[in-house]
Structure formats: C-alpha cells, structure tokens
Amino acid sequence: MGKSRRTVPEELLLLALDPTTGTTAQPQTLDLGLAGAQLVELSLAGRIVPEGDRIAVVLARPTGDPTLDHALELLRRRGSPVRAAHWIGGPRLGLRQTYLAHLERCGMVTAVPGQMCGVLPTTRYQASDDGTNAAIKQRLDTAIRTGVPPDPRTAALAALAHSVGLGKHLYPGNEGRSSRSRLRDLIRYDPLGGMVAHAVMDVQNGLPAQQNRSSQGQGSGPAAGRSGSRTPGRGSGGGRVAPSRVGVR
C-alpha cells in the first residue's frame, strides 16, 4: 500500500483533531472508531472481507503500513472469522496514542510539548498542513450538501465519524443539526463501513458481551442483538463504555 492516499484511521484522527486546543474530540470513543477504521482500510486493501457480522482474512500479505499490518497479523492469528464488535471491543490499549505517534512520524502532525496548570507535562498535536484537514472535511461537506452518493472511503469515514460522536465537533450548534443528521444518513452508502460503525456503537452500548453470552447457547445471524436504530454511545447505557479496551480478544 503506497502512501499517496491517507488511510481511513489517519483521516478519522485528523478529523477529530481540534486545531485550537491540539487535542482530539471524543477521546473516550475515538479508540473504538480507530479500531473499526482499521477494518475498513484492510477491506479496501483486499486483505479482509465481511462474513455476516464477522471479519475473515483472505490475504495475509502486509500492506506496508505498520499499524495496519499489526492489526492484520492479530486477525490472522485468530484462525477463524472474528465478530467485528469483538475485535473493536477487545483488550488492546492506546490506539489513539499509537496513531498520533504514527501521524507524527509520517509528518502529518507536530507534537507540541506543554504543561497543564504550570506543572503537569502535556503534549498537544497540530496538523502540519491545514489544507489536508480541510480537504478531508470538504469531502464530507460535499456528500452532505449535494446528496450525491460518496465513494466507499468517504461513506465509511462519515459512518465512523458519526459512530464516535464527531458530528457535534464537525457541525456544531443548532445550525449544524441538519448536517449532523445527513452525516448519519451517509452510513447507508457503504455496507462494510455501516456494519463496522454499528459494531462501534454496539460496543459503546455494552452489547458485545451480551451477544457473546447468548451466542454460546444459540446461533446468531448478522442482525442478532441489533436494534433498528443507533446513536453514538456516550456512556448513557449504564456507563458501560470501555474507552481503553480496543482490539482483539
């Protein structure tokens, strides 16, 4: 995989980066979205395919991207298709920080050291090229405002942005309400991106563990345990968000 195109996880993180504060919006759910974005990118690269609500490796050849190749190797080691929600909600730590370091190595962001309250060391991140972030956002804006079906990459990015709650960051206030609604609607233009985004929201709502328990006693199809509509979880479902647990079991 060449670097002429940014990956979906890279673009999702750049969208979440606040140019004013140097921090990322929705940090508690962004790790989940990045894990889902890895699945989307690996699918676009022809390495994995969906099988219902599961993900199967069909080509184990490395992509050339170290973060994606690590994810691909973890999936390969499973030996059998894994549920997308189990991958996204499994115990792998610090994916957001891993991707920030990755973007810094690639020259997409610059780390700016500082202090909190004049004492605690902090690191803020600034995009190296504001035009890059603007171009990513423009793709979403175009899909939202024109109604023209976006390409699968943009549709998946929109679905993931909605699933982790970036809508209010990208389109704030009452004036952004219709844009947030249309962002959510873009989920229908990419089946895999939609499936992964739904898995991200399921994890936020604490569903994978329930599905795992129930599947031990009965078969479950792709739609098992899934409701007809979803909204990004914010811990409202009993505070069951597990922001630091991302990856494969």
Side-chain angles (χ1 to χ4, degrees):
M1 178 185 295
K3 290 305 295 179
S4 59
R5 184 191 293 275
R6 291 174 300 275
T7 66
V8 177
E10 292 168 353
E11 291 194 327
L12 183 66
L13 186 53
L14 288 171
L15 276 180
L17 194 62
D18 190 313
T20 302
T21 66
T23 59
T24 53
Q26 298 300 110
Q28 291 187 328
T29 55
L30 190 56
D31 271 4
L32 303 177
L34 289 170
Q38 287 184 321
L39 295 181
V40 170
E41 189 63 44
L42 287 171
S43 175
L44 290 170
R47 295 332 193 250
I48 64 174
V49 295
E51 292 186 359
D53 64 345
R54 296 175 183 266
I55 299 296
V57 175
V58 293
L59 181 62
R61 187 178 68 206
T63 67
D65 181 304
T67 52
L68 289 175
D69 289 341
H70 178 64
L72 180 61
E73 176 61 14
L74 291 177
L75 287 167
R76 185 194 66 79
R77 290 177 187 173
R78 291 298 298 263
S80 61
V82 57
R83 280 193 173 87
H86 288 175
W87 163 264
I88 291 166
R92 184 152 49 99
L93 302 177
L95 198 55
R96 178 171 60 101
Q97 194 59 43
T98 296
Y99 264 99
L100 283 170
H102 167 74
L103 291 183
E104 185 182 11
R105 288 193 302 270
C106 293
M108 295 187 202
V109 302
T110 301
V112 181
Q115 290 183 329
M116 180 183 297
C117 301
V119 179
L120 299 176
T122 61
T123 302
R124 300 181 183 277
Y125 294 87
Q126 300 294 333
S128 302
D129 180 8
D130 291 338
T132 296
N133 287 34
I136 299 170
K137 174 71 159 35
Q138 182 60 42
R139 283 167 38 216
L140 297 185
D141 292 346
T142 299
I144 285 171
R145 292 171 182 166
T146 65
V148 176
D151 61 274
R153 183 175 295 273
T154 300
L157 181 63
L160 288 162
H162 166 71
S163 72
V164 299
L166 285 183
K168 289 187 177 180
H169 167 70
L170 298 171
Y171 305 102
N174 288 332
E175 64 275 15
R177 184 177 300 172
S178 62
S179 292
R180 294 195 297 270
S181 176
R182 291 170 186 164
L183 179 73
R184 177 196 64 214
D185 291 343
L186 292 177
I187 202 169
R188 69 183 186 273
Y189 288 112
D190 180 53
L192 176 68
M195 183 267 280
V196 170
H198 285 152
V200 169
M201 290 184 276
D202 283 349
V203 173
Q204 293 177 61
N205 291 324
L207 295 184
Q210 296 174 10
Q211 291 177 343
N212 186 42
R213 286 192 296 269
S214 64
S215 65
Q216 292 175 1
Q218 56 184 323
S220 58
R226 308 180 72 149
S227 59
S229 62
R230 293 171 174 81
T231 56
R234 299 184 184 87
S236 57
R240 302 181 64 180
V241 177
S244 64
R245 303 185 62 207
V246 183
V248 65
R249 298 192 174 199

